[in-house]
Amino acid sequence: IAIYGAVIAVFIMVFVYSRFKKIPMGALTDMGVMGLLIGQAIGRWGNFMNREAHGGVTDSFLRMGLIEGGKQIYVHPTFLYESLWNAVGLLLLHFLSKKRKFDGQVFLYYLAWYGLGRAMIEGLRTDSLWWGNFRVSQVLAAASCLAAVILLMVMAFRPHDPADLFVNKLAAKKAAAEAETESEA
C-alpha cells in the first residue's frame, strides 16, 4: 500500500459523497486535509517501528542506526523528515486556511506542500519503486506539486466573492432561518 493509492481512493469517495449530499467537493477536501496531514505525520512513525522506508547511508547528525548484516550502519531517517514536513505543513495550512478565497484552495496548498516535500525526500530513499530511470513516487509528487501550483496561480487571477464560500453560504442560510423564526414569534 502506498499513500497515493489511499489518497486517490479517498478523493474518489469524497467526490461521490459530495455529489450525493450536494456539498461542493472543494469545501469537503479543505475540511479533510488537516486530518490527512495529521495522519501522515503520525503514520510515518510506523516506518520507524518497522525499520523501513529509510534513506541511504549518511553521517548526518539526524542519522538513524540500523543493524544490517550484523553490522551497524547509519541512514537518513526519511520517515522523520516527512513527519516533520507534514507537521510544519499542518501549521502552515492552518494559518493559510483563515485567508482562503475559494473552496478547494487549502487542498491545493496541501498538494503543493506535500508534493514538494515528498519529491525531495523520495530522492533519499533506498526502497523506491522505479519505472525505468525514474522513481514513481518522486515523479508523481513533483507532478502533483506542479499541477497544484499552476491551479493556484490561475485561481489567483480570478475574482472570488467571499459569499461563494460554502461555509459562508451555510452561515447566511442559518441567519435567514433565524430571522424568519424571530419574525414569526
Side-chain angles (χ1 to χ4, degrees):
I1 293 179
I3 189 65
Y4 293 114
V7 171
I8 290 167
V10 168
F11 192 79
I12 291 167
M13 295 307 295
V14 168
F15 177 79
V16 171
Y17 183 81
S18 74
R19 294 299 175 249
F20 182 71
K21 291 290 189 176
K22 296 179 177 43
I23 300 172
M25 187 167 168
L28 289 174
T29 58
D30 282 351
M31 184 176 61
V33 78
M34 300 300 188
L36 180 59
L37 275 169
I38 292 168
Q40 288 176 297
I42 294 169
R44 277 295 167 196
W45 285 87
N47 298 130
F48 170 71
M49 300 303 277
N50 292 333
R51 301 287 195 221
E52 65 186 6
H54 55 77
V57 174
T58 185
D59 59 359
S60 166
F61 74 96
L62 287 175
R63 66 186 181 258
M64 175 177 84
L66 294 176
I67 304 295
E68 193 171 279
K71 181 179 165 189
Q72 176 131 12
I73 62 168
Y74 294 97
V75 296
H76 282 285
T78 55
F79 75 91
L80 175 64
Y81 302 159
E82 192 166 336
S83 183
L84 292 173
W85 184 263
N86 290 331
V88 170
L90 177 66
L91 291 173
L92 181 67
L93 292 189
H94 169 72
F95 291 109
L96 287 173
S97 71
K98 307 289 187 212
K99 299 180 186 294
R100 68 190 169 106
K101 306 274 190 232
F102 59 91
D103 289 330
Q105 185 176 14
V106 177
F107 182 73
L108 289 174
Y109 284 143
Y110 160 79
L111 284 178
W113 179 261
Y114 182 75
L116 177 64
R118 183 69 188 257
M120 292 185 301
I121 295 165
E122 188 67 27
L124 299 172
R125 287 182 50 176
T126 59
D127 62 343
S128 299
L129 173 63
W130 291 82
W131 187 19
N133 294 329
F134 301 101
R135 295 172 190 224
V136 174
S137 289
Q138 196 171 29
V139 170
L140 187 55
S144 67
C145 177
L146 182 63
V149 168
I150 289 170
L151 283 170
L152 284 166
M153 288 173 54
V154 166
M155 295 301 284
F157 292 104
R158 292 189 177 173
H160 300 287
D161 183 0
D164 290 337
L165 283 170
F166 184 68
V167 68
N168 292 340
K169 287 180 181 179
L170 284 179
K173 187 176 179 181
K174 182 180 177 185
E178 287 174 357
E180 184 177 320
T181 303
E182 287 178 12
S183 68
E184 291 175 0

